[in-house]
Amino acid sequence: MSLSVFLAITYPAWAEQKPGGIVSIGGSVTEIIYALGAGDRLIARDTTSSYPAEAEALPDVGYVRALSPEGVLSVGPDLIIAEDGAGPPETIAVLESGGIPFITVPDDHTAAGISAKILAVGRAIDEEKDAIALAANLRDRLGKVPAAPAQSAEPRRVMFILSTQGGRIMASGTGTAAASMIEMAGGENAVTAFAGYKPITDEAVIAAAPDAILMMEREGDHDSSVEELLAMPSISTTPAAARRAVIRMDGLYLLGFGPRTAEAVADLNAALYGG
């Protein structure tokens, strides 16, 4: 008996199949699965999974932090992969105890954290070799993003504004994905008096004196035109208003911390320093 025939008998084709029937919860997880060439094994995704475009044709099981067990299980998954922070906790508890493999991947907002996320997804879907290569490539591309150019005496102070609903500014403090992106792009987070995303007073905005304002590009009540934003009393006196320095980027691209993060960091760096 030849070796090839022996292997075919000992290890039938079904034994070589990689995990399919995957539900991806978290936009970056979905991006990673597609980047690893395994998008055809996805059967559903969450609402935040808007890239690549073909992901939006998949059934939507709900928002990453407001999932229901029924919604996720209705598509008949064989494997569920979720970003850390998916929820609510009671839904995750039900899914983890449901007999279907449920894998949570880390979501640390650093270059090392993105690599760990890619490797975790690669292991989960049996694409570890390609995941190692993708993580190494990402680290290499991030390493080539320049810091603040020499002609800038100090890093640009950047305020990330999550929303201006009702005329109240919701800004990023420390320990957020936005703060990490600002720092990775060579900027300085202008708001450090609190952690997380919180409403900020007019006085605190003026004191922060941002050189640039960073926002997500999106529609709806939370959106604000550049003119409306710069006309707000607290914003109008800032260096950012004087320079008309308002930077808008797609939310998943900016804050997803996935395979496109090196490009997002480079784009933000260029927007801050004119590169």
Side-chain angles (χ1 to χ4, degrees):
M1 181 185 298
S2 71
L3 178 60
S4 61
V5 172
F6 172 79
L7 290 174
I9 295 173
T10 309
Y11 300 102
W14 60 262
E16 299 177 358
Q17 291 179 353
K18 296 179 178 180
I22 302 168
V23 172
S24 175
I25 299 172
S28 65
V29 172
T30 302
E31 283 197 40
I32 292 167
I33 290 172
Y34 275 98
L36 294 175
D40 60 339
R41 288 147 60 188
L42 285 168
I43 59 169
R45 47 89 192 187
D46 80 304
T47 303
T48 69
S49 298
S50 58
Y51 184 90
E54 51 262 46
E56 296 192 283
L58 294 168
D60 183 346
V61 298
Y63 178 62
V64 61
R65 291 184 177 84
L67 301 166
S68 71
E70 296 80 10
V72 176
L73 297 175
S74 67
V75 297
D78 297 315
L79 172 65
I80 304 167
I81 307 176
E83 286 181 0
D84 189 23
E90 52 269 26
T91 291
I92 302 306
V94 171
L95 294 175
E96 288 179 329
S97 63
I100 297 167
F102 185 100
I103 296 172
T104 299
V105 301
D107 193 28
D108 179 32
H109 303 136
T110 63
I114 304 169
S115 292
K117 187 192 299 186
I118 291 171
L119 294 174
V121 173
R123 284 191 295 270
I125 65 172
D126 197 18
E127 297 289 353
E128 192 164 10
K129 182 178 177 181
D130 286 345
I132 291 171
L134 179 61
N137 177 264
L138 177 70
R139 289 193 300 270
D140 180 64
R141 287 181 287 130
L142 278 171
K144 293 177 180 176
V145 177
Q151 63 265 30
S152 295
E154 305 237 346
R156 291 274 162 79
R157 292 173 56 79
V158 184
M159 176 183 289
F160 177 83
I161 295 180
L162 183 63
S163 77
T164 57
Q165 189 174 30
R168 297 191 67 194
I169 293 175
M170 179 81 72
S172 165
T174 61
T176 67
S180 294
M181 279 298 295
I182 290 167
E183 292 162 8
M184 290 173 72
E188 178 182 331
N189 185 19
V191 181
T192 58
F194 57 82
Y197 300 97
K198 294 181 180 178
I200 186 171
T201 65
D202 289 357
E203 293 77 14
V205 172
I206 294 168
D211 298 306
I213 292 168
L214 177 62
M215 300 182 74
M216 290 189 288
E217 187 75 72
R218 62 185 180 185
E219 299 176 355
D221 292 339
H222 294 285
D223 200 11
S224 175
S225 73
V226 172
E227 296 302 329
E228 290 171 342
L229 180 70
L230 297 181
M232 295 180 73
S234 60
I235 298 292
S236 63
T237 61
T238 64
R243 299 176 58 243
R244 298 185 61 81
V246 178
I247 303 165
R248 291 178 175 274
M249 298 175 68
D250 174 78
L252 181 58
Y253 182 58
L254 176 66
L255 303 179
F257 284 82
R260 297 183 293 160
T261 295
E263 288 77 13
V265 169
D267 286 350
L268 180 55
N269 177 275
L272 290 174
Y273 300 107

